[in-house]
Amino acid sequence: MLDRREFVALAVGGVTTACASLVTVPVQPREGNLRLILSEWPNLTRPGGTARLRVGGTDTQIYVLAMDDGTYSAVSPICTHQGCTVEFAPDRLSCPCHGSEYDRTGAVLRGPTRAPLDRFVTRLTADNVLIIELGA
Ligand code: FES
């Protein structure tokens, strides 16, 4: 039997997990990178998981996607056709403006766009910290 405090903690944790892909979370860059301690991002610990980030102090958004092979993809959500914001779909990213579609790495699946989403280099450390390199 859960006491009230345990129940509230579980409920908040569940809501955080369920909403993780819907909320844009600001993350402060450090030395030109974003560092996500994956134990704090449960939605990214399963294949198909997603997160929306905003680089702290900027308007730059990044979508992070957990791939089936245990790697991560990090892309700009700005459609390369005319600049609308793409949305998560189950196995792809879709643009609501004119229908362009991208796979989970940002590669074009369907036009009118011809260019992939801007991508960010990612790497996973041995202690499960996901590094997203912001570039110059
Ligand atoms: Fe995305 Fe046109 S802006 S398809």
Side-chain angles (χ1 to χ4, degrees):
M1 184 86 168
L2 298 176
D3 70 19
R4 185 175 184 281
R5 190 177 334 156
E6 289 169 328
F7 175 77
V8 169
L10 277 174
V12 169
V15 169
T16 302
T17 300
C19 295
S21 65
L22 304 176
V23 176
T24 302
V25 180
V27 178
Q28 280 304 121
R30 218 174 77 197
E31 299 172 359
N33 300 322
L34 299 182
R35 299 171 53 85
L36 306 183
I37 300 168
L38 289 181
S39 61
E40 298 172 358
W41 296 80
N43 203 42
L44 290 176
T45 59
R46 60 170 178 76
T50 58
R52 296 175 191 240
L53 312 180
R54 181 174 54 75
V55 179
T58 76
D59 292 331
T60 301
Q61 291 190 47
I62 299 175
Y63 287 0
V64 183
L65 304 98
M67 309 301 279
D68 292 340
D69 64 1
T71 62
Y72 289 87
S73 169
V75 298
S76 166
I78 305 302
C79 180
T80 55
H81 178 232
Q82 291 183 2
C84 290
T85 301
V86 301
E87 299 291 337
F88 289 113
D91 63 344
R92 60 192 60 206
L93 297 158
S94 299
C95 182
C97 292
H98 311 103
S100 289
E101 294 185 337
Y102 305 85
D103 73 11
R104 292 173 61 80
T105 70
V108 176
L109 293 173
R110 189 174 92 176
T113 193
R114 293 175 179 217
L117 296 173
D118 288 341
R119 300 173 198 184
F120 298 87
V121 172
T122 63
R123 60 192 153 86
L124 189 60
T125 67
D127 53 350
N128 282 329
V129 177
L130 177 62
I131 308 290
I132 302 170
E133 299 181 8
L134 299 176

